[in-house]
Amino acid sequence: MLKKLTSIISSQQLTNQYKIFPLGDSAVTFDMGNTISEALNQKALAMQHWLLAHPFEGLKDCLVAYSSLTVLYNPVIIKKYYNPATTLFAWVTEKLQQAFDKTVQTKQAARELIKIPVCYGDDYGPDLATLAGEKQLTQQEVVTIHTGTIYNVYMIGFLPGFSYMGEVNEKIAVPRKQTPMPVMAGSVGIAGSQTGIYPLNSPGGWQIVGRTPLRLFDPFEPEPVKLQAGDQVQFYAITKREFEEYSL
Amino acid sequence: MSLTIIKPGLLDTLQDLGRTGYSRLGINRGGAMDRYAAQVANMLVGNETSEAVIEIHFPGAQFLFEQNTLISITGGNFNALLNDEPVPLWHPIVVRKNTVLHFPKLHNGGRCYLAVHGGFCVSKWLNSYSTHLKAGAGGFHGRKLEKGDEIPFKESNIYFAGLLKPGKEFEALKWGVDTGSTYQHPNEIYFIEGNEWAQLTYQSQKAMLEDNFTIHPFSDRMGYQLQGVDLKRDQNIELVSSAVSFGTMQLLPNGQLIVLMADHQTTGGYPRIGHVISAHLPKLAQLGPGDVIHFIKTAIDNAEQLLIAQQQELNILQRACMERLNSLYVKH
């Protein structure tokens, strides 16, 4: 299946909508709006790719979130190499503006859809029954809706490899829990219009509908984190028995 | 060729200056809480500043040195004893095989650092020695040090026993590091405005600058929870998640602040009221539960200048340490 078309916004349309601010004295955030938007997320990813392809001395890291890009830098190295007349913040800001100007927001080349097996309900998805009840659906209907959407991975954060994906069909969108509960690695949760997978055992507040046998974070693999921002993901249901066979 | 943990401490981990380049995978930088003390510890024993050190929380572990070596202890003062005799912080110390190091009493500070000549011989995870407890990787098998752990040293060809007088089990060298301005006025912490600073009410902005905040016992390597006046915003706009950094001061829904520390998450959705300046993170890392913070707002250019001055001071210290150590080795 092809990924859904994203609305395309040109740089000109975005020009007046961004804000650049210091995230301390060693990081700068380029913020395009307090919103979850696939188009803005794509633009932030394009800027990240451009910066990684054209790095400056002292650039340490880039991080894409829903609608923002943050660069982490070493002020001492920038000072040493470029000795700018302005603040180092202003100097990095200019680099971000350059990244913004040099990138066009286009649909990324269609990547292979990542299919993730999930065993829904019962012990693996302890919140599925309650969620179905609240939404006046059967558990099977919730599963059909959850597996019927192709999700965009907007960002990785919170834990190593925790993927923030959207958007969840509003028929099954539920708020997160009041109090975080222990969650097992592989658990698939829903929080508002977001869905995601816990890569590690952790306390968590998302409503857990199922669990995948796939290891999405393995520190000793050459690529420890399996999903990245910009990936397209679709879940499919498996039985308990299939889950256990996977885990062998 | 190692040191052994005779008795475990509360939280002793191998740390370096952190792993960079992986925050887009949700893997934070981590590393030493007090990077100044960690770097100086390495300098005092002739190491690169990027070598691994042991970060020790109180109560600290008991260590047995299984070989002659040169060590240093920096940062918080836990009344370090070598074979029950007091040793100074911020000095190189020659140690004979079978000497025991322990920390009986918390004098002040949040954590101290132990460096050994050559560094610890452990493998890196994602280009860093730092222990990532959540991932169970990095440092010593991805976990805190336990009883019986033997941490090997990298090889060295220096004959340290020749630097000790007969019958002496250790000797602190006469020269050490004066930490100068780094830890002056320990309770005055500078910060720059965060993106949501302007959303605070006028009263809350005033309180931030005039009132004191106390570090809550629920504070750890991830973050310091602060107790103080309830801070309020003019409008309570929900934020979508975005990046946070070491030193970010987030406003929790209950009106209290949390300052993110070395093991912070990579992203967060709470309002960013401010960011502690990098040059003051070592000071902050040496404060602990019950300590009081007085925040002082400054501008980004001042934050940058203070950080660069601190780094220049470190560069001078490193050269001085190398010269002293080289002449010491030549003499023997």
Side-chain angles (χ1 to χ4, degrees):
Chain A
M1 230 173 105
L2 290 170
K3 61 173 277 189
K4 74 177 175 206
L5 279 172
T6 57
S7 56
I8 296 181
I9 299 178
S10 72
S11 289
Q12 282 72 30
Q13 281 173 279
L14 283 167
T15 303
N16 297 318
Q17 295 172 12
Y18 65 78
K19 183 178 180 189
I20 304 174
F21 58 85
L23 193 76
D25 52 37
S26 305
V28 176
T29 294
F30 190 101
D31 184 6
M32 291 180 277
N34 185 31
T35 169
I36 299 178
S37 141
E38 202 165 331
L40 296 179
N41 189 247
Q42 294 273 341
K43 176 70 182 177
L45 276 169
M47 288 171 65
Q48 172 181 276
H49 290 149
W50 189 87
L51 276 165
L52 293 175
H54 306 87
F56 53 86
E57 294 292 338
L59 173 67
K60 292 196 311 188
D61 216 343
C62 295
L63 198 172
V64 165
Y66 281 112
S67 49
S68 67
L69 171 72
T70 297
V71 297
L72 290 85
Y73 58 92
N74 185 335
V76 175
I77 293 184
I78 294 176
K79 176 82 179 165
K80 190 172 145 194
Y81 276 83
Y82 305 104
N83 196 22
T86 58
T87 59
L88 304 167
F89 163 67
W91 189 88
V92 175
T93 294
E94 211 168 288
K95 290 282 158 192
L96 278 168
Q97 249 148 6
Q98 211 179 334
F100 182 83
D101 294 338
K102 296 276 184 187
T103 47
V104 279
Q105 197 284 323
T106 51
K107 197 161 85 71
Q108 300 269 306
R111 276 215 285 224
E112 203 184 338
L113 183 65
I114 299 168
K115 293 224 164 199
I116 295 184
V118 176
C119 180
Y120 286 90
D122 291 334
D123 294 347
Y124 293 142
D127 302 321
L128 177 65
T130 321
L131 189 159
E134 275 173 30
K135 292 289 184 177
Q136 294 176 328
L137 297 166
T138 65
Q139 294 189 34
Q140 185 51 50
E141 283 168 333
V142 175
V143 173
T144 305
I145 295 169
H146 192 249
T147 53
T149 304
I150 291 176
Y151 299 107
N152 179 48
V153 178
Y154 285 103
M155 59 186 273
I156 305 291
F158 171 46
L159 287 171
F162 187 97
S163 47
Y164 289 81
M165 301 181 235
E167 288 190 25
V168 169
N169 188 312
E170 61 181 36
K171 285 182 206 150
I172 59 167
V174 280
R176 69 189 69 202
K177 296 170 190 169
Q178 289 293 321
T179 323
M181 302 280 282
V183 174
M184 297 294 287
S187 292
V188 177
I190 293 175
S193 62
Q194 308 169 99
T195 185
I197 308 167
Y198 285 82
L200 294 167
N201 295 344
S202 159
W206 293 26
Q207 309 282 349
I208 305 303
V209 294
R211 195 185 303 170
T212 176
L214 299 186
R215 280 180 73 94
L216 292 158
F217 172 72
D218 183 340
F220 305 109
E221 289 277 313
E223 282 183 30
V225 169
K226 302 291 173 260
L227 295 177
Q228 296 177 43
D231 281 344
Q232 303 289 307
V233 168
Q234 189 171 21
F235 298 106
Y236 66 96
I238 56 170
T239 63
K240 222 170 193 173
R241 195 185 163 141
E242 285 170 319
F243 181 99
E244 278 147 20
E245 279 166 4
Y246 243 108
S247 311
L248 287 179
Chain B
M1 307 305 274
S2 60
L3 63 73
T4 298
I5 311 300
I6 311 174
K7 201 177 142 192
L10 175 71
L11 178 62
D12 306 309
T13 53
L14 282 162
Q15 301 292 347
D16 60 10
L17 301 178
R19 53 179 58 78
T20 56
Y22 301 96
S23 65
R24 85 186 74 100
L25 304 180
I27 299 169
N28 60 12
R29 177 171 173 185
M33 288 275 276
D34 180 347
R35 290 182 199 150
Y36 180 90
Q39 291 184 79
V40 174
N42 272 320
M43 291 174 188
L44 286 165
V45 296
N47 292 348
E48 293 290 333
T49 54
S50 54
E51 282 295 337
V53 295
I54 299 180
E55 183 178 86
I56 300 160
H57 288 82
F58 191 83
Q62 248 181 57
F63 302 90
L64 169 70
F65 293 96
E66 311 255 27
Q67 72 177 95
N68 307 317
T69 184
L70 182 71
I71 69 163
S72 69
I73 305 158
T74 63
N77 185 351
F78 302 167
N79 285 87
L81 300 179
L82 274 172
N83 283 3
D84 293 325
E85 280 183 59
V87 283
L89 296 181
W90 308 99
H91 281 253
I93 307 165
V94 188
V95 174
R96 198 188 294 281
K97 188 176 167 172
N98 291 331
T99 303
V100 172
L101 170 67
H102 77 287
F103 301 91
K105 198 163 168 278
L106 174 65
H107 181 70
N108 63 29
R111 52 274 304 165
C112 69
Y113 295 87
L114 170 66
V116 300
H117 174 79
F120 295 101
C121 188
V122 289
S123 42
K124 287 185 174 181
W125 178 58
L126 305 180
N127 301 320
S128 163
Y129 294 119
S130 290
T131 308
H132 196 303
L133 292 171
K134 275 210 178 116
F140 191 80
H141 302 299
R143 59 167 171 80
K144 66 181 192 136
L145 301 179
E146 298 289 0
K147 186 178 174 170
D149 284 347
E150 249 187 82
I151 307 145
F153 302 166
K154 289 185 185 168
E155 270 188 44
S156 162
N157 50 14
I158 295 177
Y159 179 59
F160 288 109
L163 301 173
L164 283 168
K165 295 189 185 90
K168 287 271 276 181
E169 299 308 311
F170 68 89
E171 186 175 347
L173 301 187
K174 296 279 180 289
W175 57 274
V177 163
D178 174 3
T179 57
S181 54
T182 303
Y183 300 101
Q184 264 180 12
H185 312 298
N187 306 91
E188 289 180 7
I189 300 293
Y190 284 24
F191 73 100
I192 63 165
E193 283 181 14
N195 193 45
E196 286 79 35
W197 166 261
Q199 293 179 10
L200 282 180
T201 62
Y202 173 74
Q203 285 304 325
S204 290
Q205 287 188 355
K206 210 163 154 252
M208 271 292 301
L209 304 175
E210 289 174 1
D211 288 13
N212 285 334
F213 294 83
T214 307
I215 300 176
H216 191 274
F218 294 154
S219 294
D220 55 20
R221 280 182 47 88
M222 288 180 69
Y224 285 2
Q225 297 207 27
L226 304 185
Q227 287 170 301
V229 63
D230 271 354
L231 300 173
K232 291 187 175 63
R233 289 193 291 160
D234 282 327
Q235 340 99 303
N236 286 325
I237 307 163
E238 285 277 316
L239 300 174
V240 302
S241 284
S242 65
V244 290
S245 65
F246 191 177
T248 296
M249 299 150 69
Q250 291 182 317
L251 181 62
L252 301 179
N254 65 5
Q256 299 292 303
L257 288 173
I258 183 167
V259 186
L260 301 180
M261 300 301 282
D263 276 347
H264 67 84
Q265 298 171 184
T266 52
T267 57
Y270 293 129
R272 293 147 296 199
I273 298 308
H275 305 275
V276 173
I277 68 168
S278 296
H280 281 192
L281 290 174
K283 262 203 310 204
L284 187 59
Q286 292 304 347
L287 296 179
D291 286 334
V292 165
I293 297 176
H294 178 63
F295 285 113
I296 295 168
K297 193 154 75 76
T298 190
I300 182 83
D301 53 348
N302 191 38
E304 290 176 353
Q305 280 160 20
L306 289 170
L307 177 62
I308 285 162
Q310 194 174 68
Q311 186 58 47
Q312 281 165 346
E313 185 195 306
L314 280 169
N315 294 345
I316 293 167
L317 280 178
Q318 185 163 34
R319 277 197 297 276
C321 287
M322 282 316 285
E323 278 170 25
R324 299 257 180 157
L325 287 171
N326 283 335
S327 62
L328 176 79
Y329 303 152
V330 168
K331 251 194 279 176
H332 292 267

